[in-house]
């Protein structure tokens, strides 16, 4: 896990060196791995940046009687790519 934190730190430093004046102010995690036990807390502690989990369903209401409502709630943090691909043509 320490190697992961080191790579994230290097990525942040690379970005900030390439784009002077732009600083990373927080880290947003998504996907199934983001829910690993204590990952967000340890990353926040190691990098001294706020870390949060993305919620792609934040503005989406799911009817509680939907057959898969419970399952959808359980995997909500893993749905970012699917939702993004699904709505990409809606903005046009």
């Amino acid at each position: 896990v320490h190697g992961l934190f080191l790579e994230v730190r290097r990525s942040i430093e690379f970005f900030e060196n390439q784009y002077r004046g732009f600083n990373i102010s927080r880290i947003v995690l998504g996907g199934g791995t983001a829910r690993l036990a204590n990952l967000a807390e340890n990353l926040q502690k190691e990098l001294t940046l706020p870390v949060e989990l993305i919620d792609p369903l934040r503005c989406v209401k799911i009817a509680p009687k939907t057959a898969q409502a419970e399952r959808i709630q359980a995997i909500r943090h893993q749905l970012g790519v699917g939702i993004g691909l699904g709505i990409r043509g809606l903005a046009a």
Side-chain angles (χ1 to χ4, degrees), residues 57-75:
L57 297 178
R58 167 178 88 235
C59 298
V60 176
K61 293 187 183 207
I62 300 168
K65 294 182 181 180
T66 303
Q68 296 292 322
E70 201 171 299
R71 173 79 175 128
I72 292 169
Q73 293 300 334
I75 64 167

Side-chain angles (χ1 to χ4, degrees), residues 77-90:
H77 298 288
Q78 299 174 34
L79 300 175
V81 172
I83 291 171
L85 290 172
I87 64 171
R88 69 180 173 182
L90 297 177

Side-chain angles (χ1 to χ4, degrees), residues 15-72:
F15 175 85
E16 289 178 343
N17 286 330
Q18 293 296 310
Y19 300 96
R20 303 248 182 236
F22 290 94
N23 294 316
I24 303 295
S25 60
R26 67 183 171 136
I27 295 174
V28 181
L29 299 176
T33 305
R35 294 182 46 104
L36 284 174
N38 301 316
L39 177 64
E41 294 83 2
N42 288 329
L43 191 59
Q44 182 168 312
K45 182 177 166 185
E46 184 75 23
L47 301 176
T48 62
L49 288 169
V51 175
E52 62 187 71
L53 292 178
I54 194 167
D55 184 0
L57 297 178
R58 167 178 88 235
C59 298
V60 176
K61 293 187 183 207
I62 300 168
K65 294 182 181 180
T66 303
Q68 296 292 322
E70 201 171 299
R71 173 79 175 128
I72 292 169

